[in-house]
Amino acid sequence: ILNDAIDRVLAWKEQGASFQWRIPGTDKPCEIFYRDSSPGANEKPILLLLHGFPTSSWDWNEMWDSLSERPWRVIAPDFMGYGFSDKPGSRKLYYNSITLQSDMVEDLLADITGTVRTAVHILAHDYGDSVAQELLHRSIMSTREDASRIKVRSVCFLNGGMIPGVHRPVFITKSTSITNW
């Protein structure tokens, strides 16, 4: 059973790609892993899958094939510090991690679609809910001068803190938080 699980995870990785992301305000490159069901298919609407804490894009493996058979392009990144993406050691990089992860998602989509503003449908889980909320806020609140690079068409939040100011993480979330390293 363990060998089968390892083989499935390795196959997930082999079917993915990586994006060289420059962390804002630094000269540090960061390799971001992602899966893309239809590379180059810019005519398809995008379904962006954002994973939870402390996992990775592997969260979506059981439904990947079913979602990919639909008439959309499915994209699932591993956030910086998670899964097969790089894990920069600087703790201060993670203090504004929701903002940074949102920046990374915008940059990734701009890079792989080749467009300045990408329309997406979002399916988010747990920690991904917070990133999706930031992307939704940027999409709704941006002005022409400060245009978000993502236009959120729809969003589905799964099992996450919907109001960051009142969200109370459980003990395991606090005790394993990357800012506690």
Side-chain angles (χ1 to χ4, degrees):
I1 294 174
L2 181 59
N3 286 339
D4 180 52
I6 292 170
D7 290 343
R8 289 176 47 219
V9 171
L10 291 175
W12 181 264
K13 182 179 182 181
E14 289 170 10
Q15 295 167 12
S18 65
F19 162 65
Q20 287 296 317
W21 182 55
R22 184 120 353 238
I23 300 169
T26 74
D27 60 353
K28 296 177 180 153
C30 184
E31 187 169 305
I32 301 297
F33 173 84
Y34 67 95
R35 288 285 307 266
D36 185 345
S37 68
S38 305
N42 290 339
E43 73 284 353
K44 290 184 172 184
I46 292 174
L47 175 60
L48 178 64
L49 307 178
L50 301 176
H51 67 79
F53 173 87
T55 59
S56 67
S57 59
W58 176 252
D59 274 0
W60 309 106
N61 84 89
E62 292 295 326
M63 61 182 77
W64 184 263
D65 290 339
S66 178
L67 292 173
S68 298
E69 292 169 359
R70 305 291 191 251
W72 51 62
R73 180 178 181 182
V74 183
I75 298 171
D78 282 352
F79 292 127
M80 175 184 70
Y82 296 83
F84 295 118
S85 289
D86 282 349
K87 294 145 188 75
S90 175
R91 285 181 55 190
K92 66 182 185 177
L93 283 176
Y94 297 95
Y95 292 147
N96 293 315
S97 64
I98 301 302
T99 302
L100 271 180
Q101 303 292 15
S102 300
D103 291 344
M104 181 278 294
V105 169
E106 286 187 327
D107 291 344
L108 170 68
L109 289 173
D111 185 72
I112 65 177
T113 64
T115 60
V116 175
R117 189 162 162 89
T118 307
V120 297
H121 301 272
I122 300 174
L123 177 57
H125 172 247
D126 188 52
Y127 178 77
D129 286 0
S130 297
V131 176
Q133 287 176 68
E134 173 64 19
L135 294 170
L136 181 60
H137 173 78
R138 292 178 184 189
S139 177
I140 293 170
M141 301 306 291
S142 66
T143 65
R144 281 189 178 270
E145 297 80 36
D146 181 31
S148 170
R149 290 177 286 151
I150 290 181
K151 177 63 180 169
V152 177
R153 298 285 185 208
S154 66
V155 63
C156 178
F157 299 107
L158 303 172
N159 193 36
M162 293 305 299
I163 304 172
V166 297
H167 173 63
R168 300 292 178 250
V170 295
F171 174 75
I172 190 69
T173 305
K174 289 189 281 188
S175 65
T176 59
S177 171
I178 201 158
T179 58
N180 289 334
W181 291 0

